[in-house]
């Protein structure tokens, strides 16, 4: 560590005295290019609010195009799409997930046709599409089958790649799925399709509002995902998961949730020095929104401070429902 002059020769407050010097020595900054904006796309007409996530809406494909236009205008480079299928289309195997005319392939095609310069990212997991709300296929005891699920995820990934997706983001946490998906992409000529792996995805209680938004909460019921998502107590395990995904062909890795796991973000970035992202999940967003609505916190101040914390911890970018609001604030600054 660099030694500094003792007080009074050393006065750290000197550099904090004026705005220009605070700006001059600031170690981390936020830009709109640091954000990925998650969007829920449904089969209904127009927009529908998500009650547990104030300000977040499910949107139809025509409304999604308006969201894409706004993102480009604000400089947000990527939309991350999550499908909300018709509940009557759900099956035990989640087959609608890889239907080329399913909600997500249609949304990808619409966005890339209108805005080819906008990055489009999609989720690979079966929970929005299954009658049981789990991320994979299950056996008679309810256990999630690893290799059989991977075969389904390959089909889903290829359907999204064929529709023109830029980034696949497998969030299922099956062992070996990154290598299998990468091999399938290569074999089918999708050599430019990037993978941002949900490498350290924890079995967190912070996902509740998201599950309501995609319509899987009721299907999951009192079930849990402990047999495939990570134990919140573990960090060494996260490094093993990340190492495996990088070795299997992931271009980028992700830690999820975000703020409660900033220590994991830091360990991943310092250990691997690969593009590392964090997901500020629905529960984090909802907490800040609720506190602000009650007048307990300054909305814009805590929004920006929370996002800056990700960058300070080592994240190269943040998936956040605040993306458009934060980008507007940055533009006005």
């Amino acid at each position: 560590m660099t030694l500094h002059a003792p007080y009074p020769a050393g006065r750290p407050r000197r550099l904090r005295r004026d705005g220009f010097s605070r700006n001059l020595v600031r170690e981390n900054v936020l830009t709109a290019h640091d954000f990925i904006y998650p969007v829920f796309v449904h089969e209904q007409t127009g927009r529908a609010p998500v009650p547990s996530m104030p300000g977040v809406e499910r949107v139809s494909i025509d409304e999604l195009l308006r969201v894409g236009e706004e993102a480009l205008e604000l400089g947000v480079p990527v939309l991350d799409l999550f499908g909300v299928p018709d509940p009557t289309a759900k099956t035990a195997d989640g087959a609608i997930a890889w239907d080329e005319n399913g909600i997500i392939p249609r949304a990808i095609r619409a966005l890339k046709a209108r805005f080819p310069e906008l990055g489009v990212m999609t989720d690979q997991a079966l929970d929005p599409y299954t009658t049981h709300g789990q991320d994979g296929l299950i056996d008679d005891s309810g256990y999630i089958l690893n290799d059989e699920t991977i075969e389904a995820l390959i089909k889903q990934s290829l359907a999204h790649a064929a529709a023109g997706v830029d980034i696949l983001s497998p969030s299922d946490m099956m062992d070996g799925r990154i290598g299998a998906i990468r091999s399938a992409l290569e074999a089918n000529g999708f050599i430019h399709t990037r993978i941002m792996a949900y490498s350290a995805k924890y079995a967190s209680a912070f996902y509740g509002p998201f599950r309501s938004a995609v319509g899987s909460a009721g299907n999951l019921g009192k079930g849990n995902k402990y047999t495939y998502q990570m134990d919140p107590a573990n960090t060494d395990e996260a490094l093993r998961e990340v190492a495996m995904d990088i070795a299997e062909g992931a271009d980028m890795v992700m830690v999820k949730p975000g703020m409660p796991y900033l220590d994991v973000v830091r360990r991943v970035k310092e250990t691997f020095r690969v593009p590392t992202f964090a997901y500020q999940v629905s529960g984090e967003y909802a907490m800040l929104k609720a506190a602000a609505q009650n007048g307990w916190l300054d909305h814009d101040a805590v929004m920006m401070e929370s996002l800056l914390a990700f960058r300070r911890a080592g994240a190269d970018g943040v998936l956040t429902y605040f993306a458009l609001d934060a980008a507007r604030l940055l533009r006005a600054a």
Side-chain angles (χ1 to χ4, degrees):
M1 182 175 179
T2 303
L3 297 177
H4 297 284
Y7 174 87
R11 292 179 180 265
R13 290 185 59 193
R14 276 196 289 260
L15 291 175
R16 302 177 199 143
R17 185 177 188 277
D18 299 296
F20 80 85
S21 57
R22 290 192 298 272
N23 290 337
L24 193 66
V25 299
R26 183 164 292 132
E27 297 173 30
N28 296 282
V29 296
L30 278 173
T31 75
H33 293 289
D34 298 324
F35 304 141
I36 295 173
Y37 186 43
V39 185
F40 302 108
V41 189
H42 67 180
E43 297 277 11
Q44 310 306 313
T45 301
R47 297 177 179 237
V50 178
S52 56
M53 300 176 68
V56 173
E57 299 171 308
R58 304 180 190 94
V59 298
S60 57
I61 290 178
D62 59 332
E63 290 294 331
L64 175 65
L65 296 178
R66 295 184 175 89
V67 175
E69 184 175 24
E70 185 175 15
L72 278 176
E73 167 64 20
L74 291 169
V76 175
V78 180
L79 298 187
D80 187 12
L81 308 183
F82 295 88
V84 186
D86 184 330
T88 63
K90 296 185 180 186
T91 56
D93 65 356
I96 189 66
W98 55 85
D99 187 334
E100 66 178 13
N101 292 313
I103 184 65
I104 292 301
R106 285 188 281 122
I108 296 167
R109 290 194 291 267
L111 278 174
K112 296 309 291 186
R114 181 74 68 85
F115 309 112
E117 68 276 34
L118 178 66
V120 177
M121 175 171 160
T122 58
D123 181 65
Q124 286 72 57
L126 302 184
D127 52 326
Y129 309 99
T130 58
T131 50
H132 46 74
Q134 294 287 359
D135 292 33
L137 307 181
I138 61 175
D139 65 14
D140 292 340
S141 71
Y143 185 76
I144 287 69
L145 299 166
N146 194 89
D147 296 1
E148 292 83 349
T149 295
I150 288 176
E151 292 305 312
L153 295 171
I154 289 171
K155 295 175 187 177
Q156 186 182 27
S157 299
L158 291 176
H160 293 187
V165 78
D166 299 296
I167 306 171
L168 297 173
S169 55
S171 66
D172 56 285
M173 290 299 287
M174 298 298 113
D175 295 338
R177 89 278 200 210
I178 299 302
I181 291 170
R182 175 59 73 201
S183 294
L185 291 173
E186 291 289 324
N188 286 273
F190 299 116
I191 64 172
H192 302 301
T193 306
R194 283 137 281 192
I195 296 177
M196 181 188 293
Y198 283 64
S199 297
K201 181 179 180 180
Y202 286 84
S204 172
F206 284 92
Y207 301 149
F210 174 91
R211 290 173 183 164
S212 296
V214 298
S216 67
N219 299 105
L220 184 63
K222 294 183 179 180
N224 62 65
K225 302 188 178 185
Y226 299 155
T227 67
Y228 51 101
Q229 294 179 358
M230 285 181 51
D231 186 336
N234 297 348
T235 60
D236 289 345
E237 183 184 14
L239 300 186
R240 294 195 295 272
E241 290 276 5
V242 171
M244 289 176 67
D245 286 353
I246 294 169
E248 291 176 19
D251 302 290
M252 300 164 274
V253 298
M254 187 199 304
V255 175
K256 181 181 180 182
M259 286 192 69
Y261 295 84
L262 291 181
D263 60 319
V264 181
V265 174
R266 170 58 67 186
R267 287 197 71 187
V268 168
K269 187 62 176 180
E270 288 184 341
T271 301
F272 298 104
R273 300 293 178 182
V274 298
T276 302
F277 293 77
Y279 199 141
Q280 187 179 44
V281 300
S282 58
E284 300 173 63
Y285 172 87
M287 287 193 307
L288 294 180
K289 279 287 187 180
Q293 287 179 342
N294 278 307
W296 299 335
L297 293 173
D298 180 318
H299 178 279
D300 290 352
V302 296
M303 172 179 69
M304 300 307 285
E305 184 177 341
S306 70
L307 295 172
L308 185 61
F310 290 104
R311 296 285 286 127
R312 191 184 67 245
D316 297 287
V318 188
L319 291 84
T320 176
Y321 304 97
F322 286 120
L324 300 187
D325 288 342
R328 290 188 200 100
L329 203 60
L330 288 167
R331 172 167 287 190

